[in-house]
Amino acid sequence: MKKLLILLTLICACVVAPYGVKAQEATYKFDLGGQVGMSGYLGDASSSIFGHPGFSAGASFRYLPDVRWAIRTVFNVMGLSGDTKDMDDVFPGGENYSFKSTAYDLGARVEFNFFSYGIGETYKKLRRWSPYLAAGIGFTLASCDGETAFGFNIPMAFGIKYKLKPRLNIGAEFSMTKVFNDHIDGPLSDLHQIKSSFGRNTDWYSNIQISITYEFGERCATCHYVD
């Protein structure tokens, strides 16, 4: 009888153990997704960021080295426009200027999460939401009235992300991008007859976007050191 009880105990332990302990949530090394939103322009023909809103859309790819940092590649296409009639400035000769352009932005950013972001691994005190800051470098190509302009840019962003499921994330982000080219708004330049240069010009654009991303590339749950 005693041997039978021991045997039954071992069988129950083998059957219950896989279900009695919750498996550790997997974590992933990459995410891929898209974003849509509203673009704005600040420059020679606008003194308000969203005085002439446009549509923006794009895609992104992230490398996730850990729960606090990410390296993100972003591509956006956006419509930019402006009109000096909406401004208080008076230009020489009382002239008014306006433009419409399409801008393409490709760049890389480093993101810092305020909280350890994720699901599972409770010993890391993960949260399924986190605000974040981002900054980086990129390139802008703009087309306006048959003319194109190219310049380096520096994007700066603030956002918040939320993990719907272990592999699915949504986010909202506001970004401002400084462009080192004074012709993102087409031929409009030096409207006040003040010469611009690489480091001194007035062209910025902004984006408010909603994103959704999917994670992949499962990490090894247990890592062993091999000399």
Side-chain angles (χ1 to χ4, degrees), residues 28-194:
Y28 302 90
K29 295 182 287 187
F30 311 103
D31 81 9
L32 180 68
Q35 60 271 357
V36 295
M38 181 175 68
S39 60
Y41 156 82
L42 185 65
D44 294 298
S46 177
S47 57
S48 175
I49 297 175
F50 292 109
H52 296 270
F55 176 77
S56 68
S60 74
F61 172 82
R62 280 189 182 94
Y63 168 57
L64 309 168
D66 60 37
V67 295
R68 298 297 291 271
W69 294 92
I71 299 172
R72 185 183 184 194
T73 300
V74 181
F75 175 72
N76 277 316
V77 181
M78 68 206 83
L80 303 177
S81 63
D83 194 327
T84 61
K85 289 190 297 184
D86 303 326
M87 300 172 63
D88 295 329
D89 291 12
V90 177
F91 296 97
E95 295 288 344
N96 286 316
Y97 305 90
S98 64
F99 82 97
K100 289 185 178 180
S101 70
T102 301
Y104 305 86
D105 180 311
L106 176 64
R109 308 175 185 179
V110 175
E111 292 183 357
F112 173 72
N113 298 324
F114 283 50
F115 306 137
S116 296
Y117 180 66
I119 295 178
E121 297 182 326
T122 54
Y123 71 96
K124 290 185 178 179
K125 298 181 180 179
L126 299 183
R127 298 193 187 189
R128 64 192 306 163
W129 70 279
S130 178
Y132 66 89
L133 292 175
I137 189 169
F139 308 93
T140 301
L141 177 68
S143 175
C144 179
D145 296 330
E147 298 184 7
T148 59
F150 174 84
F152 295 98
N153 69 49
I154 296 179
M156 295 159 280
F158 171 78
I160 187 167
K161 58 183 73 170
Y162 178 77
K163 191 169 284 293
L164 289 171
K165 294 183 177 181
R167 303 177 73 168
L168 192 64
N169 310 275
I170 59 171
E173 180 183 276
F174 170 73
S175 66
M176 285 290 296
T177 302
K178 169 64 175 176
V179 187
F180 293 95
N181 186 310
D182 204 23
H183 294 282
I184 300 304
D185 46 14
L188 305 186
S189 181
D190 310 329
L191 300 186
H192 289 285
Q193 299 179 359
I194 299 173

Side-chain angles (χ1 to χ4, degrees), residues 2-23:
K2 186 176 181 181
K3 291 181 178 180
L4 180 60
L5 289 174
I6 293 173
L7 181 61
L8 290 173
T9 301
L10 290 174
I11 293 172
C12 290
C14 292
V15 172
V16 172
Y19 302 98
V21 179
K22 184 179 180 181

